[in-house]
Amino acid sequence: MKTTAYVNGLLIDGTGREVLPNSLILTEGSIIKYAGDKKDQRLKESDEVIDLSGHFITPGLIDCHVHLGGAISDKAKDWVLENDTQQAIVSVQQVRELLNHGITTVRDISRNGLHLKPLIRNEIIQGPNIIACGPGLSRTGGHGDAHEVPIELVERSHPWALICDGPEEIRKTVRKLIRMNSDWIKIWATGGGLWEKERETDQHYSFEEIKTVVEEANYLGIPVCAHCESLKGAKDSIKAGVASIEHGEELDEECLEGMKRKNIFLVPTLGLFFEWFSTYEVPPRPELAAYEGSTNAEKEINRIKNNFKAAKDLGVRYALGCDSFSNDLTPFGKYSLKELYALVKAGCSPMEALVAGTRSGAELLRLEKSIGTLEEGKRADFVVLKKNPLENINNFNKENIAAVYKNGIRQV
Amino acid sequence: MDTDKTIYLGGNLITGEKNKIIRDSLLITSKDKILYAGVFKKDLVKEPAKRYYLKECYIIPGIIDCHLHLCGLLKADPDSWVQEELLKRSMISVKQAEELIEHGVTSVCDVSKNGVFLKKMINSGLIKGPRISPCGPGLVRTGGFLDPSHLPEAMNRENHPWAVFADGEEEIRRGLRNSFRQGSDHIKTWATGLGLSCRERDRDQYYSQKELDLILEEARYLNSKVFVHCESLYGTKAAVEAGVDGIIHGEELDEDCMKGMVSKGISLVPTLNLTLEWYAKYGGTPPRRVKRDSGILGNEIEREREIVKRNFQEALDQGVNIAMGSDTFCKEITPFGQFSLEEIKTMTECGLRPYEALEAATVKAAELIFPGRKIGLIKEDYIADFVILKRNPVEDIQVLEKKNIVAVIKEGELQAGKIDLFLNNDKEIMQ
């Protein structure tokens, strides 16, 4: 098998270790054989040498929360009304955009992801590796419903949700999703703020329902991620034993302790919040008054930052997820990078943000043995940057991306 | 200052009109249009513009394929046509559209469920691909080769990538109207089955004369063209009688058919690569064709090839208008893009001169699928669709290959290949 040496790059290996100048990455096919100080001895093993002098190398980014639904519009009813075939077509553009921005693995919540996964794996189309949830579980009138269009249409055509209520339907739906080859199960345990009867602060599934999802998925060793924007919904999800809390902008000490104890990850989707309130209403949280800001949106954003900081300070694990769902509002790839910047704005160092977008993502996805860091035995998924992202996280942008490699093959 | 202007100079311009070739030419585009195409004119070159110097390159109009299926199929196996997941195939069709444009195919007439949506997304700039004139899925009768009887009926109906089933007046009217509702430009239907299949006889036909007439009537309400799959004789006769616009395949035409085609202005899209080579490449037993089977030597596959070839040559002799269509439908045996180029080459093996085959694949194809639009020639006021080649296809048609393509331009914009190497603003080239 062909071995390639990437020499002289400044290596940021994703473990959190400082940048290593004059590095060598030696790959054999899709696998890294060596990554570290340049050693002439090892260099001799290579069939080809690629000089990356002056460039920074990071692991390919892992985005743990995207919706490859192929939606163009940011309006809930359009997600259902846009033609399914059109959305399948657009999703191919979306995965390519992710790759163009250095994202080499995603956890996806959508109907399309289940089909994109094998097509990408078999190299029929180009995109990141996909860990597919398939569509997520939403209650009637929940975040995965679109109340402006007939429910029959939603049931037939929602790009990233299935409607189900009660333990029996939930059990059946989880089994159906697994039949469709889902790797994870996603549920909306709380609302998400699409309209006045679907607020972030509302719990949407009962503890029993959440418990049923976790139990049923865990029979087959499949983890569950739960959309939680209210405290009570988060509490019940943590108690039920989900593997990650998505958004989780309202967590108390009990939640955080529970997450830490059970190794439940937080995917804080901060970038989304920083922009969400320019389109959607600020949820009615009574404690908002206690936070700084001239508008409710500013206060809510400060509250969210504070909430994230508490989780981080306590040692709750967190991973990058940007929640891209529409070309218009949350452009694919670009939005994943925005989440890196948002993590820094919320108090992470650039290195911490990068680790959240690489190693931590791999750990959340239970893929730490094969991706997330650039070390011996891992897959050769990496990004070559013209500028140092540790100096300024905004240097991780499309213009500065010189190359993207996935499985040792240059993609961009 | 007109900054939208791009100047291509020094290239050998094959305009697409007969065998006209302009050496050391000048081609100027602005946005999606051609402003000037002709001999070098000093005063035109000096205007502010981006300039490419294409000395030793050949410029031909973008290739137009009048018949293919962007259905996202990977395999030729007919069962897979209905068994594969539709959404997955929609995803693969994006790749297929991209492969077409990379091979210099800048326009197509598509028969599939994906075409109307690919067209929208290509036009919005979201994905890359040729200009699509979609037919949507075509109309076909119940039973027949598109409705395999060993598979569940519901599956065939829901999942067929390029056909919808319609029988009788009401279903046909509804089927056509639904196709237009979804955004189809034209209509495709099947007047016969696979004449290729050994079980099809002369007199087998899929639709009655009345049904075909009805399709024409409905299509004409919206000023649309009708393209008809015709293999065995009697269905073909019925299609000619109905006055369709294009006969697809048409490997068994009699004199009446040909005369009818000439007098009614019906084009032949012969898909020669498939009809000539089917049995040699893909197996099966050729049908017994009574008409021309006398006096031809060789085994049955060789005889079939010769019959198909003669049929095409007779159509040429009679003056039937020929347009290129490849019938590309799956990656496995008809690779997207490459198969369109192969069809042009095969046409030259059956009697067309290289420039005539190019005409069939450019201006004549455009007249058939984009009537009234200025597409298919490199000429002032036409849409700027062209392919820059390293070698001269009129001299040797075999050079029509991806590796010889320097760049593909559609509506004035680079779609595939690299052209920056040819950027040149030196004073000498403007002399």
Side-chain angles (χ1 to χ4, degrees):
Chain A
M1 207 177 290
K2 191 183 164 189
T3 57
T4 309
Y6 303 86
V7 294
N8 302 330
L10 294 119
L11 177 64
I12 302 166
D13 68 8
T15 61
R17 270 195 293 269
E18 282 310 305
V19 55
L20 178 72
N22 295 319
S23 69
L24 166 66
I25 298 176
L26 194 65
T27 63
E28 187 176 43
S30 62
I31 301 297
I32 296 172
K33 273 175 76 184
Y34 172 83
D37 283 319
K38 190 164 110 183
K39 286 182 183 153
D40 292 343
Q41 206 60 25
R42 302 300 311 252
L43 195 54
K44 281 183 198 147
E45 295 170 32
S46 64
D47 301 322
E48 190 192 0
V49 177
I50 295 173
D51 188 0
L52 297 178
S53 296
H55 288 80
F56 293 81
I57 308 166
T58 74
L61 294 181
I62 300 171
D63 191 319
C64 295
H65 194 128
V66 297
H67 300 278
L68 294 166
I72 293 175
S73 166
D74 59 355
K75 295 187 178 57
K77 72 170 187 301
D78 294 339
W79 303 337
V80 177
L81 296 179
E82 285 174 3
N83 183 280
D84 294 359
T85 300
Q86 176 186 305
Q87 289 184 334
I89 287 166
V90 175
S91 72
V92 177
Q93 175 257 348
Q94 294 175 339
V95 287
R96 189 163 307 177
E97 278 303 309
L98 285 162
L99 206 51
N100 287 343
H101 287 80
I103 293 93
T104 53
T105 300
V106 297
R107 184 178 60 182
D108 166 65
I109 303 117
S110 80
R111 173 182 61 215
N112 292 327
L114 293 165
H115 303 304
L116 291 165
K117 180 174 80 166
L119 292 176
I120 292 169
R121 184 181 294 161
N122 297 327
E123 294 175 16
I124 293 162
I125 60 171
Q126 269 193 321
N129 304 305
I130 292 179
I131 306 304
C133 297
L137 276 63
S138 164
R139 66 179 243 159
T140 299
H143 199 50
D145 198 348
H147 73 103
E148 295 160 287
V149 294
I151 188 123
E152 294 75 20
L153 266 185
V154 177
E155 283 168 345
R156 195 188 319 148
S157 225
H158 200 290
W160 52 74
L162 296 172
I163 307 292
C164 56
D165 301 283
E168 279 184 32
E169 269 183 33
I170 280 177
R171 208 177 279 284
K172 184 92 177 177
T173 306
V174 172
R175 289 179 186 181
K176 275 189 188 160
L177 280 166
I178 295 171
R179 177 183 183 273
M180 288 152 72
N181 203 10
S182 294
D183 304 311
W184 275 67
I185 299 294
K186 157 80 184 270
I187 59 163
W188 281 275
T190 75
L194 291 174
W195 67 297
E196 58 171 337
K197 294 281 189 298
E198 199 273 308
R199 288 177 304 197
E200 291 93 331
T201 42
D202 303 332
Q203 178 158 354
H204 272 181
Y205 275 130
S206 67
F207 174 71
E208 194 197 354
E209 288 171 307
I210 302 169
K211 187 94 187 65
T212 306
V213 175
V214 174
E215 179 190 309
E216 195 55 49
N218 287 359
Y219 284 156
L220 302 191
I222 287 173
V224 176
C225 51
H227 168 112
C228 295
E229 299 197 63
S230 85
L231 182 61
K232 273 208 77 225
K235 265 192 184 154
D236 279 354
S237 297
I238 292 163
K239 205 164 112 194
V242 301
S244 68
I245 299 287
E246 311 297 305
H247 315 298
E249 75 269 32
E250 193 172 67
L251 303 168
D252 66 4
E253 212 162 303
E254 185 193 330
C255 286
L256 297 177
E257 290 291 352
M259 288 173 78
K260 206 178 159 188
R261 198 174 61 248
K262 296 183 171 182
N263 197 28
I264 297 171
F265 274 66
L266 175 63
V267 180
T269 65
L270 295 163
L272 182 74
F273 288 128
F274 293 172
E275 288 182 15
W276 184 258
F277 305 116
S278 61
T279 309
Y280 299 95
E281 267 182 48
V282 178
R285 301 192 199 266
E287 65 277 26
L288 215 55
Y291 291 88
E292 272 183 40
S294 56
T295 62
N296 274 351
E298 278 176 29
K299 285 179 185 171
E300 174 67 357
I301 285 167
N302 282 328
R303 196 196 61 73
I304 289 169
K305 279 186 185 168
N306 205 55
N307 174 79
F308 172 68
K309 193 169 177 300
K312 179 174 177 284
D313 288 348
L314 196 77
V316 170
R317 302 297 309 276
Y318 55 94
L320 180 146
C322 77
D323 207 358
S324 269
F325 59 93
S326 120
N327 281 15
D328 284 350
L329 188 70
T330 55
F332 285 74
K334 196 174 165 189
Y335 219 69
S336 303
L337 299 185
K338 267 195 174 172
E339 182 63 14
L340 268 184
Y341 316 152
L343 283 161
V344 172
K345 271 189 210 154
C348 292
S349 68
M351 182 63 96
E352 285 174 327
L354 272 183
V355 170
T358 55
R359 193 189 82 196
S360 302
E363 285 166 356
L364 166 57
L365 302 181
R366 283 98 166 117
L367 294 171
E368 68 275 13
K369 288 207 176 95
S370 58
I371 59 169
T373 61
L374 299 174
E375 295 175 292
E376 190 188 329
K378 303 280 173 84
R379 286 212 303 255
D381 294 355
F382 58 91
V383 183
V384 181
L385 290 166
K386 293 178 196 157
K387 289 189 184 164
N388 187 356
L390 298 179
E391 201 176 278
N392 180 353
I393 195 68
N394 292 292
N395 283 338
F396 207 128
N397 63 44
K398 199 180 169 196
E399 285 64 43
N400 284 338
I401 292 178
V404 178
Y405 287 84
K406 201 187 98 186
N407 291 326
I409 299 166
R410 186 162 178 184
Q411 307 281 328
V412 176
Chain B
M1 182 169 132
D2 187 357
T3 48
D4 297 317
K5 243 181 225 175
T6 308
I7 296 179
Y8 304 85
L9 68 172
N12 299 293
L13 194 63
I14 297 165
T15 63
E17 295 162 289
K18 296 292 172 196
N19 53 353
K20 188 168 162 190
I21 178 161
I22 302 167
R23 307 274 172 194
D24 193 21
S25 69
L26 177 61
L27 172 60
I28 305 175
T29 65
S30 172
K31 292 182 183 158
D32 61 338
K33 287 263 173 56
I34 294 169
L35 283 187
Y36 175 83
V39 293
F40 184 85
K41 279 188 185 165
K42 222 174 178 177
D43 50 328
L44 289 179
V45 180
K46 288 187 177 150
E47 291 169 42
K50 209 182 233 181
R51 283 183 199 77
Y52 297 102
Y53 188 49
L54 300 174
K55 193 169 161 35
E56 284 164 23
C57 289
Y58 292 81
I59 310 169
I60 63 169
I63 302 295
I64 302 174
D65 192 321
C66 293
H67 184 65
L68 49 70
H69 305 277
L70 282 162
C71 52
L73 269 185
L74 295 175
K75 299 224 166 71
D77 169 25
D79 283 4
S80 77
W81 300 355
V82 288
Q83 283 171 344
E84 294 266 340
E85 176 66 40
L86 273 179
L87 290 181
K88 190 165 140 190
R89 279 182 283 172
S90 303
M91 292 167 186
I92 297 170
S93 74
V94 178
K95 178 79 183 165
Q96 297 176 335
E98 206 169 90
E99 282 167 357
L100 284 165
I101 195 98
E102 284 168 2
H103 283 81
V105 180
T106 53
S107 296
V108 301
C109 184
D110 167 66
V111 181
S112 81
K113 283 188 176 157
N114 300 318
V116 289
F117 301 104
L118 287 168
K119 174 185 169 179
K120 276 188 212 166
M121 295 303 107
I122 289 169
N123 290 354
S124 74
L126 214 60
I127 59 170
K128 271 203 298 187
R131 171 182 304 99
I132 295 179
S133 181
C135 294
L139 260 60
V140 73
R141 62 174 274 160
T142 298
F145 80 104
L146 295 175
D147 190 12
S149 57
H150 63 281
L151 294 175
E153 188 188 352
M155 196 185 210
N156 293 350
R157 276 163 197 271
E158 278 163 35
N159 259 9
H160 205 289
W162 61 70
V164 285
F165 295 90
D167 301 282
E169 173 165 356
E170 277 164 36
E171 283 180 21
I172 282 175
R173 283 199 199 275
R174 170 61 75 91
L176 259 81
R177 291 173 189 184
N178 197 36
S179 183
F180 289 128
R181 176 186 183 273
Q182 287 175 22
S184 297
D185 287 348
H186 304 305
I187 294 299
K188 160 77 190 278
T189 187
W190 282 263
T192 76
L194 282 178
L196 296 168
S197 117
C198 54
R199 294 176 55 189
E200 179 135 324
R201 297 158 306 176
D202 259 12
R203 286 178 180 275
D204 289 1
Q205 70 181 64
Y206 269 23
Y207 276 136
S208 66
Q209 188 67 54
K210 195 179 158 204
E211 286 170 307
L212 287 172
D213 291 345
L214 206 61
I215 290 172
L216 263 295
E217 181 193 324
E218 274 292 335
R220 294 298 188 241
Y221 287 158
L222 299 196
N223 205 17
S224 279
K225 301 275 184 187
V226 176
F227 303 113
V228 187
H229 170 110
C230 293
E231 300 210 46
S232 52
L233 186 61
Y234 277 64
T236 311
K237 281 178 181 290
V240 173
E241 173 65 29
V244 305
D245 300 281
I247 299 278
I248 313 284
H249 313 300
E251 75 270 25
E252 199 168 295
L253 306 170
D254 66 5
E255 212 179 314
D256 284 349
C257 284
M258 295 181 197
K259 285 201 167 131
M261 288 173 79
V262 173
S263 68
K264 293 182 175 185
I266 300 172
S267 295
L268 175 63
V269 181
T271 66
L272 288 169
N273 235 338
L274 276 190
T275 47
L276 280 174
E277 300 301 332
W278 187 269
Y279 301 100
K281 278 191 184 165
Y282 317 123
T285 315
R288 276 178 54 82
R289 297 193 199 272
V290 187
K291 196 180 107 192
R292 295 190 188 78
D293 207 2
S294 57
I296 300 175
L297 301 174
N299 64 32
E300 55 186 359
I301 288 175
E302 289 161 350
R303 286 211 309 276
E304 168 71 5
R305 194 184 282 141
E306 190 55 30
I307 290 166
V308 170
K309 199 168 165 179
R310 284 189 190 180
N311 172 77
F312 175 69
Q313 285 164 345
E314 278 174 43
L316 281 184
D317 293 343
Q318 293 279 345
V320 173
N321 189 51
I322 308 292
M324 190 278 282
S326 66
D327 204 4
T328 298
F329 69 100
C330 75
K331 189 183 156 84
E332 187 183 33
I333 62 170
T334 60
F336 282 76
Q338 190 190 321
F339 208 64
S340 306
L341 301 183
E342 277 175 24
E343 178 68 14
I344 300 174
K345 295 176 195 173
T346 306
M347 285 175 133
T348 66
E349 286 160 24
C350 294
L352 290 182
R353 279 172 283 189
Y355 83 83
E356 290 171 329
L358 275 180
E359 248 182 0
T362 55
V363 61
K364 288 190 170 182
E367 282 162 5
L368 186 59
I369 65 174
F370 302 113
R373 292 184 65 186
K374 294 195 164 177
I375 295 174
L377 293 176
I378 303 183
K379 195 176 173 181
E380 200 177 306
D381 223 23
Y382 271 66
I383 298 280
D385 292 352
F386 50 88
V387 184
I388 303 169
L389 292 162
K390 286 181 199 156
R391 300 177 59 194
N392 184 356
V394 173
E395 206 174 85
D396 176 10
I397 201 72
Q398 299 305 324
V399 309
L400 275 185
E401 270 189 73
K402 194 179 168 188
K403 66 169 197 218
N404 289 325
I405 294 178
V406 174
V408 182
I409 311 284
K410 192 186 94 186
E411 292 171 6
E413 279 181 26
L414 180 73
Q415 302 284 318
K418 284 189 181 134
I419 196 168
D420 282 353
L421 296 167
F422 296 87
L423 256 181
N424 193 329
N425 276 318
D426 294 348
K427 290 261 160 55
E428 306 91 81
I429 61 166
M430 295 184 220
Q431 299 305 311

